[in-house]
Amino acid sequence: MIEQIEIRRLRLPLTKPYRLSFGVQHAFDTLLVTIACGGRSGFGEATLLPGYTDESIDQSWETALAVAPRLAGQQMTAARGILSDLLPVAAFTATAFLTALDMIGDHPAFRARDHVELLAILSSDGGDLGKARDEVDRLVEAGYRTLKFKVGFGVEQDVPALAVMQRAVDGRARLRVDANQGFTPQEAITFLDRIDPEGIELLEQPCDKADWAAAEIVRPHARVPIMLDESIFGTADIDRAADGGLADLIKLKLMKLGDISSLQAALDRIRLRGMEPVLGNGVATDIGCWMECAAAPGHVTLAGEMNGFLKTPVQLLDPPLSMVGAHVLLPGELPRLNTEAVARVSDASRNFS
């Protein structure tokens, strides 16, 4: 039986601003859920970012305040049923609770001893070849084989900027290009027509996540593989992309799928439907990043994007995640929460028992 639930609202500062086509982020707004049950405890997170989800941090907090009293005193199966009903309308919030239950249930993914390759995000805007080359040199020397470059700021700016980055990379790594929904269909077509496809691994989410018609319009013009990300919330969206031939790759985030088993099943379904899965949330604390890394072995082969923990100096896990080169090392055991760090970035907390 669930004996106690604690919910916290956190704000984690970023080491440097995170530039996206729909705005610049300076901090992570995170819901942290901790659940005690049968002498065990588990925790999960939801980091809310406009553009990634329709949930806001305020909405997530209010939803958590409403659902936590309903879960206190419930058996695990009944609690999962309540949260499964919440998933279609508040996936990120539901995932924070469900993954805490995964930890209590000692999901086998958390016991894996393995290493998971990550990509690195390029901070250069492509305006200076020398600076871009210096950054690429440093990342390649560190062991990164896949680099991500953000576009979607305007075709006239994006095309020459990408060309600069291609010159800086010079074949030493794959370039994953992410538009973060920044293009209209015509802008995406123009961008695809004007770029050199050499060395580009894929173009991610060129148009608005809800505009499936745009995906149909753009797809015939693609000279590089297309990956959908923000458009995908579950298996129905995976099937829709496959049925329409709209993507070569699909990226998933744990916070959309609810729990570890559902995430792994969805990753396998992507490949079953003839596409390649990519995993990772670049806007998550080390809690969500660790869970995605744990889910990855045996289900994903391409470089992961679960690198949000590298964007903030605040680490919530004890011990913190360990990296060797471009790889996260999975220790094969459950971490604890760093309670001092959690308290330092908490804006509010509530307990239910």
Side-chain angles (χ1 to χ4, degrees):
M1 182 179 72
I2 293 177
E3 297 141 7
Q4 189 169 19
I5 300 173
E6 179 187 68
I7 59 173
R8 285 181 178 265
R9 181 169 172 165
L10 312 180
R11 188 166 177 83
L12 284 71
L14 300 185
T15 304
K16 55 186 176 183
Y18 186 39
R19 191 175 67 113
L20 300 162
S21 63
F22 45 78
V24 178
Q25 307 301 313
H26 298 275
F28 287 165
D29 290 307
T30 299
L31 174 76
L32 173 64
V33 174
T34 304
I35 300 177
C37 177
R40 297 178 61 87
S41 64
F43 46 84
E45 69 142 304
T47 296
L48 291 303
L49 177 70
Y52 278 29
T53 173
D54 293 331
E55 297 171 74
S56 68
I57 184 60
D58 291 333
Q59 291 169 331
S60 181
W61 178 250
E62 292 301 321
T63 300
L65 288 175
V67 76
R70 296 177 58 202
L71 298 175
Q74 297 282 355
Q75 299 296 328
M76 291 275 283
T77 301
R80 283 190 175 275
I82 292 170
L83 294 166
S84 294
D85 291 340
L86 179 63
L87 195 61
V89 294
F92 278 52
T93 305
T95 297
F97 287 90
L98 284 165
T99 50
L101 297 182
D102 277 343
M103 285 190 69
I104 292 170
D106 200 14
H107 194 286
F110 296 144
R111 297 297 180 180
R113 291 185 178 273
D114 213 325
H115 57 90
V116 178
E117 183 184 1
L118 301 186
L119 56 64
I121 296 178
L122 293 160
S123 61
S124 170
D125 61 5
D128 185 304
L129 177 59
K131 290 182 178 178
R133 187 171 283 141
D134 288 344
E135 182 181 22
V136 171
D137 289 346
R138 175 176 56 81
L139 292 172
V140 169
E141 185 176 346
Y144 287 97
R145 300 184 299 171
T146 305
L147 306 176
K148 171 173 269 196
F149 184 62
K150 297 283 188 177
V151 296
F153 305 101
V155 174
E156 296 305 318
Q157 172 185 340
D158 292 333
V159 171
L162 178 57
V164 168
M165 296 311 305
Q166 288 173 290
R167 290 176 62 192
V169 173
D170 194 25
R172 294 176 292 164
R174 293 179 290 270
L175 261 180
R176 193 173 293 180
V177 183
D178 186 4
N180 279 126
Q181 312 175 67
F183 293 138
T184 66
Q186 186 53 57
E187 288 171 338
I189 292 169
T190 302
F191 176 79
L192 286 163
D193 285 345
R194 291 175 57 183
I195 63 172
D196 178 359
E198 181 66 29
I200 296 177
E201 180 188 40
L202 58 89
L203 173 64
E204 179 178 347
Q205 197 68 47
C207 302
D208 184 86
K209 65 179 185 291
D211 194 349
W212 287 84
E216 294 179 11
I217 293 168
V218 172
R219 188 70 174 93
H221 298 268
R223 296 186 298 143
V224 298
I226 297 293
M227 180 165 77
L228 293 181
D229 171 17
E230 287 91 343
S231 294
I232 308 298
F233 274 82
T235 54
D237 295 324
I238 293 169
D239 289 340
R240 185 175 184 178
D243 292 342
L246 304 180
D248 304 283
L249 307 97
I250 297 289
K251 185 168 80 174
L252 296 182
K253 296 177 173 67
L254 172 60
M255 290 182 203
K256 295 180 177 181
L257 273 295
D259 59 27
I260 300 296
S261 293
S262 298
L263 173 63
Q264 291 178 324
L267 291 167
D268 292 343
R269 186 169 187 82
I270 291 168
R271 185 168 284 114
L272 181 67
R273 293 304 314 270
M275 299 173 291
E276 188 70 21
V278 173
L279 174 61
N281 189 352
V283 183
T285 76
D286 49 342
I287 296 171
C289 293
W290 162 65
M291 289 184 172
E292 288 185 335
C293 285
H299 300 274
V300 182
T301 58
L302 295 179
E305 302 199 17
M306 50 288 269
N307 53 19
F309 73 100
L310 297 174
K311 297 183 175 76
T312 172
V314 180
Q315 303 301 305
L316 303 178
L317 295 179
D318 180 21
L321 289 178
S322 177
M323 288 198 68
V324 174
H327 291 79
V328 178
L329 301 184
L330 295 174
E333 59 189 29
L334 295 179
R336 302 176 299 276
L337 279 178
N338 183 329
T339 54
E340 180 182 344
V342 169
R344 193 167 64 247
V345 295
S346 291
D347 287 342
S349 66
R350 290 284 300 275
N351 283 280
F352 303 87
S353 59

